[in-house]
């Protein structure tokens, strides 16, 4: 037994220099690119699960005791105190929120916060729902996952609801929120009824289409330059149990543009319009509509952890042909969450394998914030070297031409591209190779 222990010890000692030599030969970039999944699976996924469970319990308790509305004014006063102190200190630097860059969904990590006065705006609660006015009032760090978990059981939903769980209300208002229902209702900010902000002098102001309208219409896309958003009132619409999905595979660039444009312009018929393109010549156009009725044999709860990732599921229709299925509404809203669109396949290459899904799919996805926090300088450079995440606005009638330009200039195919409708045309999005947004006229 002692001899066996010594042999194992010697083997381990010999393995260390062999591993170091192999690492030097392959290079640190190769190891991080191909084996980051080890760290993600062993550490980030369990931490993400613990965090999600904690936040679920915390939000449930806050909702049950209805403490959020009572605490909101105290949180607003705290933001005011910080801003007034900044004024008293002589306004030596500009202000920004204290939320670290790694905590945001964007893969960009802004370094500007290191030189600015950080103001804590820790507001993460849903404040109230007004079913008479058909609005919900929320704080800026409320996520889309929170919103659907709160509204859907009550029979309500947002007119425009982005897919990723961790996208926040504040980010979608101050930035650009464009989703598959945008062709019908407008951008995310077009669903907003009013905003509450703390301005640079420390005062609190409310604005709407009738109260301080100049400020109200200037807030979207302002990226926090006009004040700190502390609450938003958003329209809600009646929800239904399912979304009826219709899949239309297309096999040419011309057919892509024609079919997508045709379905997008049918505003009275289609609640949602989306297209996933897997090459310049292959794509699946999808339409979706709310319904309470469903054919039982065609119900597909795609959000369950053992189910294939959505973009892989959709890819099957390229060979199987047109189809119809019914997806539970919350599963549909967050259909791209589990695979972080398709970004997760680059981090966990076997993540969509049935064995992995059944054994560990319940722990997917790791939090994007944790991925950013732990990526390190080498990983960051890899993203900069191999990925483009970019929004672009292009007229809908120029879609075919735009795709040719993107292919010629940055060679995005054969990686899949996600297209989504905007109020006037198309939102076109990819996290694997290209993230594009386009408007049609």
């Amino acid at each position: 037994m002692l001899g066996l222990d010594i042999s194992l010890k010697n083997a381990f000692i010999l393995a260390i220099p062999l591993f170091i030599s192999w690492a030097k030969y392959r290079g640190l970039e190769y190891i991080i690119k191909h084996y980051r999944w080890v760290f993600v699976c062993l550490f980030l996924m369990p931490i993400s699960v613990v965090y999600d469970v904690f936040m679920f319990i915390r939000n449930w308790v806050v909702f049950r005791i209805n403490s959020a509305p009572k605490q909101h004014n105290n949180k607003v006063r705290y933001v005011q105190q910080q801003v007034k102190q900044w004024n008293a200190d002589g306004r030596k630097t500009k202000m920004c929120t204290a939320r670290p860059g790694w905590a945001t969904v964007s893969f960009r990590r802004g370094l500007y916060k290191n030189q600015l006065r950080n103001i804590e705006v820790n507001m993460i609660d849903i404040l109230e729902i007004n079913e008479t006015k058909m609005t919900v009032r929320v704080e800026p760090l409320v996520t889309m996952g929170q919103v659907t978990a709160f509204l859907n059981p009550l029979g309500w939903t947002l007119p425009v609801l982005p897919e990723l769980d961790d996208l926040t209300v504040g980010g979608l208002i101050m930035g650009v929120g464009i989703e598959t229902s945008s062709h019908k209702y407008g951008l995310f900010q077009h669903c907003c009824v009013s905003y509450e902000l703390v301005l640079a002098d420390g005062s609190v102001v409310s604005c709407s289409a009738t109260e301080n309208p100049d400020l109200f219409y200037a807030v979207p896309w302002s990226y926090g330059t006009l004040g700190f958003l502390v609450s938003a009132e958003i329209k809600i619409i009646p929800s239904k149990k399912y979304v009826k999905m219709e899949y239309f595979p297309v096999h040419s660039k011309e057919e892509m543009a024609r079919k997508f444009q045709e379905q997008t312009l049918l505003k009275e018929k289609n609640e949602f319009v989306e297209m996933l393109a897997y090459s310049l010549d292959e794509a699946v156009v999808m339409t979706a509509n709310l319904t309470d009725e469903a054919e039982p044999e065609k119900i597909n709860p795609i959000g369950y952890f053992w189910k294939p990732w959505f973009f892989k599921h959709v890819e099957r229709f390229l060979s199987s042909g047109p189809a119809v299925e019914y997806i539970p509404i919350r599963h549909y809203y967050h259909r791209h969450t589990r695979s972080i669109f398709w970004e997760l396949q680059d981090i966990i290459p076997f993540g969509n394998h049935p064995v992995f899904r059944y054994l560990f799919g319940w722990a997917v996805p790791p939090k994007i914030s944790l991925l950013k926090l732990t990526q390190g300088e080498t990983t960051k450079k890899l993203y900069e070297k191999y990925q483009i995440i970019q929004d672009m606005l292009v007229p809908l009638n120029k879609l075919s031409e735009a795709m040719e330009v993107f292919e010629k200039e940055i060679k995005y195919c054969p990686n899949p591209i996600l297209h989504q409708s905007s109020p006037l045309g198309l939102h076109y999005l990819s996290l694997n190779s290209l993230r594009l947004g386009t408007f049609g006229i």
Side-chain angles (χ1 to χ4, degrees):
M1 193 69 178
L2 180 61
L4 179 61
D5 289 343
I6 293 173
S7 298
L8 290 173
K9 182 178 180 181
N10 290 336
F12 181 73
I13 292 172
L14 287 172
I16 293 175
L18 288 174
F19 174 77
I20 293 174
S21 300
W22 176 80
K24 286 183 177 179
Y25 170 73
R26 299 302 303 191
L28 182 61
E29 180 177 302
Y30 177 89
I31 294 172
I32 291 177
K33 183 179 178 182
H34 291 86
Y35 295 97
R36 194 174 181 226
W37 62 267
V38 176
F39 178 74
V40 170
C41 292
L42 293 181
F43 297 100
L44 298 192
M45 283 169 50
I47 293 172
S48 297
V49 170
V50 171
Y51 176 83
D52 285 339
V53 170
F54 169 78
M55 289 304 297
F56 175 83
I57 295 172
R58 184 257 177 212
N59 292 335
W60 183 85
V61 171
V62 168
F63 174 71
R64 296 300 298 179
I65 64 177
N66 197 32
S67 63
K70 304 169 188 175
Q71 294 299 319
H72 178 70
N73 288 338
N74 292 332
K75 289 187 278 188
V76 172
R77 279 193 289 271
Y78 179 56
V79 176
Q80 287 182 275
Q81 291 170 7
Q82 296 176 79
V83 174
K84 289 177 179 177
Q85 187 59 52
W86 170 76
N87 279 280
D89 292 341
R91 300 187 172 194
K92 295 176 183 178
T93 61
K94 297 177 182 178
M95 291 185 293
C96 66
T97 62
R99 193 182 188 205
W102 58 263
T104 64
V105 171
S106 168
F107 274 79
R108 175 178 172 270
R109 295 184 64 176
L111 300 178
Y112 64 91
K113 293 195 174 189
N114 297 335
Q115 285 77 43
L116 304 185
R117 181 72 164 260
N118 285 197
I119 305 298
E120 293 183 22
V121 187
N122 187 29
M123 298 185 168
I124 60 174
D125 292 313
I126 296 173
L127 300 174
E128 59 183 338
I129 180 173
N130 189 321
E131 295 187 343
T132 303
K133 291 175 58 181
M134 297 178 60
T135 62
V136 62
R137 185 164 168 254
V138 301
E139 292 180 331
L141 294 183
V142 165
T143 66
M144 293 299 101
Q146 274 179 271
V147 168
T148 53
F150 175 77
L151 290 179
N152 290 167
L154 299 176
W156 298 96
T157 188
L158 297 182
V160 177
L161 200 144
E163 295 92 349
L164 291 184
D165 281 19
D166 291 341
L167 290 170
T168 63
V169 168
L172 293 166
I173 292 172
M174 295 298 194
V176 185
I178 310 175
E179 298 306 324
T180 58
S181 52
S182 293
H183 78 291
K184 187 167 185 177
Y185 296 102
L187 304 180
F188 187 83
Q189 71 262 20
H190 295 139
C191 303
C192 296
V193 175
S194 67
Y195 308 119
E196 181 187 18
L197 300 103
V198 174
L199 302 182
D201 62 356
S203 62
V204 180
V205 63
S206 295
C207 57
S208 66
T210 56
E211 180 184 10
N212 299 310
D214 288 351
L215 180 59
F216 175 73
Y217 290 113
V219 166
W221 299 21
S222 66
Y223 292 90
T225 56
L226 301 177
F228 294 106
L229 182 69
V230 290
S231 75
E233 188 179 10
I234 309 171
K235 296 175 188 175
I236 56 176
I237 59 174
S239 178
K240 295 186 179 180
K241 290 176 61 177
Y242 301 103
V243 169
K244 180 183 179 181
M245 294 284 294
E246 295 186 69
Y247 301 92
F248 305 96
V250 291
H251 300 281
S252 72
K253 180 167 58 64
E254 293 72 23
E255 193 180 3
M256 281 186 212
R258 180 189 60 77
K259 190 69 174 179
F260 187 84
Q261 192 168 158
E262 169 189 300
Q263 296 299 324
T264 297
L265 296 176
L266 293 175
K267 295 184 181 181
E268 299 306 316
K269 177 185 175 184
N270 295 320
E271 297 281 347
F272 311 93
V273 184
E274 181 176 17
M275 179 165 74
L276 294 177
Y278 297 87
S279 72
L280 274 177
D281 300 312
E282 289 191 312
V284 179
V285 177
M286 292 166 280
T287 62
N289 291 281
L290 301 173
T291 179
D292 282 323
E293 306 296 329
E295 301 171 60
E297 69 279 6
K298 294 184 179 180
I299 295 175
N300 183 12
I302 60 171
Y304 289 144
F305 65 82
W306 59 83
K307 291 284 188 174
W309 289 347
F310 183 70
F311 78 94
K312 287 294 188 182
H313 170 65
V314 172
E315 188 175 15
R316 297 174 181 177
F317 295 109
L318 288 172
S319 55
S320 64
V324 174
E325 64 181 7
Y326 297 83
I327 299 175
I329 185 168
R330 194 158 188 266
H331 291 228
Y332 173 78
Y333 277 144
H334 302 289
R335 61 198 179 279
H336 294 297
T337 292
R338 288 190 300 124
S339 57
I340 317 179
F341 289 105
W342 31 71
E343 188 72 16
L344 197 59
Q345 69 178 353
D346 289 338
I347 300 171
I348 307 176
F350 47 82
N352 193 51
H353 192 281
V355 174
F356 182 86
R357 293 200 312 266
Y358 274 90
L359 293 179
F360 304 107
W362 53 271
V364 168
K367 306 295 285 185
I368 296 175
S369 55
L370 292 177
L371 290 171
K372 289 175 64 179
L373 179 64
T374 60
Q375 68 182 8
E377 193 60 33
T378 302
T379 306
K380 181 175 178 292
K381 289 179 180 178
L382 281 173
Y383 279 121
E384 293 173 351
K385 182 177 180 180
Y386 294 111
Q387 290 191 332
I388 296 175
I389 303 175
Q390 181 64 52
D391 291 336
M392 296 184 184
L393 305 181
V394 178
L396 183 57
N397 59 6
K398 296 291 184 180
L399 173 59
S400 296
E401 185 179 336
M403 292 179 69
E404 291 178 354
V405 171
F406 300 148
E407 166 65 10
K408 176 182 177 182
E409 299 297 331
I410 53 181
K411 308 294 181 186
Y412 69 80
C413 287
N415 293 321
I417 304 298
L418 170 70
H419 306 244
Q420 298 179 319
S421 303
S422 75
L424 301 175
L426 169 71
H427 179 224
Y428 173 122
L429 167 67
S430 165
L431 283 178
N432 193 26
S433 57
L434 192 65
R435 188 175 194 274
L436 305 171
T438 68
F439 288 95
I441 296 175

